[in-house]
Every structure is written in structure tokens, then in C-alpha cells.
Amino acid sequence: MREARCETRAPDFGDKRDITCQFTAAGVQQALFKVRFLGSHDDTQLSMTPALDGLPLTCGPGSKTSSRFEDGEITLECRFVIEAKVDSTHLLKMEIVWTHAQYDGFEFTLR
């Protein structure tokens, strides 16, 4: 598994966070980005908008990039595949927005 360097930025107000992860990939690699929330309830809305190398990224099967009106602990996920013939550096950006929930962190893995 390769390591990614991630940075997170949050504005001074509002429930928003931008997370960028720089990583190197070679061959075919599976990627998974998860963001966790606590305290969701009947008026909670969560979403993440992914981009890879400055272009919109469509998450693959099994992904969940938004949630509305769910209770409890919620995890959003984006699954995608990177295909590179040689080592190449990529930049993943996730824009995360939520209301009426508590952000509880993220994880990004490459396999």
C-alpha cells in the first residue's frame, strides 16, 4: 500500500471542509476515500464532491457520496480505480459539506 499526503482546510465558519491528498500510483490500484460523521438525525444532509487531477471524479460501485435524513453514525465513501503505466503523481480533492451532524474524520487508502 502506498502512502498519501493529505491536508485538510476548514473555513472559519460553516460546516465545510476541503481535503486534498497527493499520492503516487503505478499499475492498477484500488482507492477508497471515507469520511465519517456522528450525531446525524432527521434534518441532516451530508455530501462530498470528488475531483482527481482537477477534473470531476465519478465514484464507482459501492460508493455513497451523499446522505439525507439518516440517523446515527454515517460514513460517506468514494471508491475508484487508478490506472497508470508508470509511477505518476495525482491529486485527489474532496469538498465535504454537511448540516446538523458532527464531522469525525476521514481516511484514504490505496491498494
Side-chain angles (χ1 to χ4, degrees):
M1 183 167 70
R2 293 179 180 248
E3 294 293 317
R5 289 189 324 240
C6 297
E7 295 180 5
T8 180
R9 289 182 304 206
D12 293 335
F13 60 92
D15 293 335
K16 180 181 181 201
R17 190 166 299 243
D18 291 326
I19 300 170
T20 56
C21 296
Q22 184 174 357
F23 62 96
T24 301
V28 178
Q29 291 192 258
Q30 304 288 324
L32 174 60
F33 184 92
K34 293 183 179 183
V35 61
R36 297 176 307 279
F37 296 91
L38 304 172
S40 299
H41 45 86
D42 63 357
D43 62 349
T44 297
Q45 295 186 42
L46 314 167
S47 69
M48 66 179 178
T49 304
L52 182 63
D53 299 330
L55 300 172
L57 173 65
T58 300
C59 299
S63 298
K64 177 180 181 179
T65 58
S66 65
S67 172
R68 293 178 54 140
F69 316 128
E70 288 185 76
D71 289 330
E73 297 178 11
I74 308 295
T75 300
L76 300 182
E77 297 183 357
C78 179
R79 300 169 184 274
F80 60 99
V81 175
I82 297 286
E83 295 184 46
K85 292 182 180 179
V86 297
D87 277 2
S88 55
T89 301
H90 300 277
L91 184 66
L92 174 69
K93 180 178 180 185
M94 289 289 181
E95 180 181 282
I96 302 163
V97 180
W98 67 92
T99 60
H100 301 280
Q102 179 182 344
Y103 171 80
D104 189 45
F106 76 94
E107 59 187 89
F108 176 55
T109 56
L110 290 168
R111 297 185 193 267

